[in-house]
Amino acid sequence: MATVVITGGAGFLGSHLCERFLKEDFEVWCLDNLCTGRISNIEHLCTYENFHFIKENVYNHILVPGEVDYILHFASPASPIDYLQMPIQTLKVGALGTHNALGLAKAKGARFLLASTSEVYGDPLIHPQTEEYWGNVNPIGPRGVYDEAKRFAEAITMAYHRAHGVSTGIVRIFNTYGPRMRIKDGRALPNFFRQALKGEDITVYGDGSQTRSFCFVSDLVEGIYRLLMSDENLPVNIGNPEEISLKDVAEEIRELTGTKSKIIYESLPVDDPKVRKPDTTRAREILGWSPKVPRAEGLKKTLEYFKKELGV
Ligand code: UDP
């Protein structure tokens, strides 16, 4: 039985990854300090004998007994609201946490995969974003704590690969949605669903012309799994290239929920990227991966989850 360590394993993405690796018969070590992760995301996994949960701050140290074959470093606040509220923790887990996770990979001879982000491209000046693009990031803006932590994390990951020969991979994750997002994580889709289901105004920031490209979580997990199992060490974008404006996605959720909520416009957060869409050529060519779940289907599944969470 191969062993995988997943930092941030009780989070939205981490918990789906834990589930996937248990299905593939891995021994799974889930590490999380629960600052944004939740026990409710993983309690259904605790019946597996090969699932272990450790509550710890991976930026202090990481201790896992025995052999480890794979490490996925997914610990970090990831919603703009969260990293604005926890700027120092975000920097620490991206920098010190990544260093610790890489140290563990080196000590155990494990393959390491870093959860990076489309945020490394900042407010991008090329569109769609290819992995060759170096980005347009404001280091001292409010989003800088996340963007620069992840850029540092990419740099130290490549350094461990080049200097120590550690097998490493970097996935640049674009906007992802699905069950287990926190209702109040502040991101667009949870806000829109919550507001629509409660009959509150739907808050679109700016004029809503900014775009994102939303990937359903099962597609993302498949891409991550394939990247981990490959020996690719350069960054790979994983995301759904179907781009939509925020105004249009708010309208889609309004229609899907049948709500009477109206859309209102509020001020755009500082440094909010105007466009975002992955070029997924590398994922297609290297991993044979492309997203399968159309937005209409993913939004329906996500609606069921939010209805249950809100008890409506
Ligand atoms: N947004 C919005 N209304 C909300 C929350 C977010 O219009 O209630 C916008 C936000 O300004 C951004 C986009 O939705 O342009 C996606 O924001 P999110 O926080 O989901 O993640 P980001 O892609 O910015 O990391």
Side-chain angles (χ1 to χ4, degrees), residues 31-259:
L31 275 47
D32 206 301
N33 70 356
L34 301 177
C35 77
T36 57
R38 294 179 298 173
I39 289 293
S40 59
N41 286 342
I42 52 164
E43 59 195 357
H44 64 294
L45 304 177
C46 294
T47 52
Y48 286 82
E49 266 178 21
N50 44 330
F51 179 73
H52 317 276
F53 172 68
I54 307 178
K55 183 173 183 295
E56 79 182 351
N57 284 327
V58 298
Y59 51 74
N60 291 335
H61 60 265
I62 307 180
L63 285 177
V64 177
E67 287 178 16
V68 175
D69 303 286
Y70 300 98
I71 297 170
L72 292 106
H73 182 44
F74 275 65
S76 177
S79 142
I81 294 274
D82 289 336
Y83 53 72
L84 295 186
Q85 280 168 358
M86 292 177 275
I88 314 288
Q89 290 98 317
T90 302
L91 282 158
K92 281 173 79 173
V93 75
L96 310 179
T98 305
H99 186 211
N100 288 340
L102 281 162
L104 184 72
K106 179 168 163 258
K108 303 276 188 183
R111 173 158 167 81
F112 173 90
L113 184 68
L114 172 71
S116 185
T117 166
S118 53
E119 283 287 316
V120 300
Y121 302 123
D123 190 4
L125 303 178
I126 72 144
H127 194 65
Q129 293 76 56
T130 59
E131 290 87 346
E132 288 74 36
Y133 180 48
W134 291 353
N136 177 38
V137 171
N138 173 7
I140 58 161
R143 298 174 86 102
V145 295
Y146 184 64
D147 302 7
E148 296 297 3
K150 289 293 187 183
R151 289 167 67 96
F152 172 88
E154 288 200 5
I156 193 170
T157 297
M158 290 309 296
Y160 264 69
H161 175 66
R162 293 185 179 122
H164 293 310
V166 174
S167 168
T168 59
I170 296 173
V171 54
R172 290 190 181 147
I173 299 170
F174 283 65
N175 293 69
T176 304
Y177 70 101
R180 303 207 192 119
M181 293 187 98
R182 278 159 37 236
I183 295 175
K184 289 203 165 173
D185 86 352
R187 283 189 263 210
L189 296 192
N191 277 4
F192 295 171
F193 273 113
R194 190 189 71 247
Q195 292 159 342
L197 289 170
K198 293 178 99 180
E200 296 168 359
D201 291 342
I202 297 177
T203 54
V204 169
Y205 301 157
D207 64 4
S209 64
Q210 72 273 28
T211 66
R212 294 295 186 269
S213 308
F214 295 98
C215 184
F216 190 64
V217 63
S218 59
D219 280 332
L220 186 90
V221 166
E222 181 60 31
I224 288 169
Y225 188 80
R226 289 187 190 200
L227 180 56
L228 185 72
M229 293 303 144
S230 77
D231 56 9
E232 180 58 39
N233 53 66
L234 293 174
V236 179
N237 290 338
I238 300 284
N240 190 320
E242 205 182 312
E243 186 181 13
I244 184 168
S245 73
L246 264 293
K247 191 176 158 194
D248 287 349
V249 82
E251 201 51 64
E252 281 188 0
I253 290 176
R254 235 169 68 89
E255 275 167 33
L256 179 66
T257 54
T259 183

